[in-house]
Amino acid sequence: MVPFEEDERAEYAVLMSRARDAERTALLSYVASGLVAAMLLSWAIGGRNAALMLPVLVAVAFGFTAVLRARQSVKLIAGYAEEVMERAGSRPQWFTHLRKLSSTPGFNPNSDWVAASLANTVNLIAVVLSWLYADAKSHGELMAAIVTGCALAFGIYSLSETSRVSRTDFAALWRMVGAEPREEGRRFRASG
């Protein structure tokens, strides 16, 4: 096995550290937004107020967006390491082997769909409760409709973004960046 050059070793260590930091950020954002949303939901239930369901949606949306961006960053780092650094068989092959492992039957990787499902479940609960509490306060139906619209918009966003991130081949993106520029022949314009 040919050892890493010192620069490659340093770059790989920095990339692994950044991936670890991004995963930690995703986890902390996920837990923090979940706790804040649960606290806000309990206040809204205690107040029996449809308007108090809006902060629940905002907390879930902020947490989900932070998780989505952190996961996308991890996948970009993994794609870069897989395409640029792990190309030769003599180097560490963690991301390359992880990609091969994820395509085997029976392997159940950590899915981005769990975060989207839980976020949309909390939003659905907030929508149902906002309609239950709509009659208790003035403008309750208006607030329940606003909560429903915001939850619907977030649901579409979360499902489309999760689908996009899960279908994107980040190593292929790095392959396109690494392609050498080619000179294109001169085009002649036919006059007629």
Side-chain angles (χ1 to χ4, degrees), residues 76-165:
L76 274 171
I77 291 169
Y80 176 79
E82 181 182 339
E83 182 58 30
V84 175
M85 305 185 86
E86 295 181 354
R87 220 171 194 190
S90 62
R91 297 188 173 135
Q93 300 281 312
W94 167 254
F95 293 109
T96 303
H97 290 308
L98 186 62
R99 177 190 283 251
K100 290 176 185 175
L101 182 63
S102 68
S103 65
T104 60
F107 181 71
N108 192 9
N110 185 8
S111 175
D112 295 330
W113 288 103
V114 172
S117 299
L118 288 175
N120 283 308
T121 300
V122 171
N123 283 351
L124 181 63
I125 290 168
V127 166
V128 169
L129 290 174
S130 70
W131 282 106
L132 286 175
Y133 301 145
D135 295 335
K137 304 284 183 191
S138 64
H139 304 293
E141 288 183 359
L142 174 64
M143 291 311 298
I146 291 172
V147 168
T148 302
C150 290
L152 185 62
F154 173 77
I156 292 168
Y157 168 76
S158 67
L159 295 177
S160 65
E161 284 297 300
T162 302
S163 175
R164 182 187 63 79
V165 168

Side-chain angles (χ1 to χ4, degrees), residues 16-55:
M16 292 298 274
S17 175
R18 286 193 68 186
R20 208 173 22 257
D21 290 345
E23 283 286 342
R24 189 176 301 121
T25 299
L27 181 64
L28 289 174
S29 298
Y30 190 66
V31 169
S33 72
L35 291 173
V36 169
M39 181 186 64
L40 291 171
L41 188 62
S42 68
W43 284 349
I45 291 170
R48 300 182 63 84
N49 191 339
L52 292 177
M53 296 299 169
L54 269 176

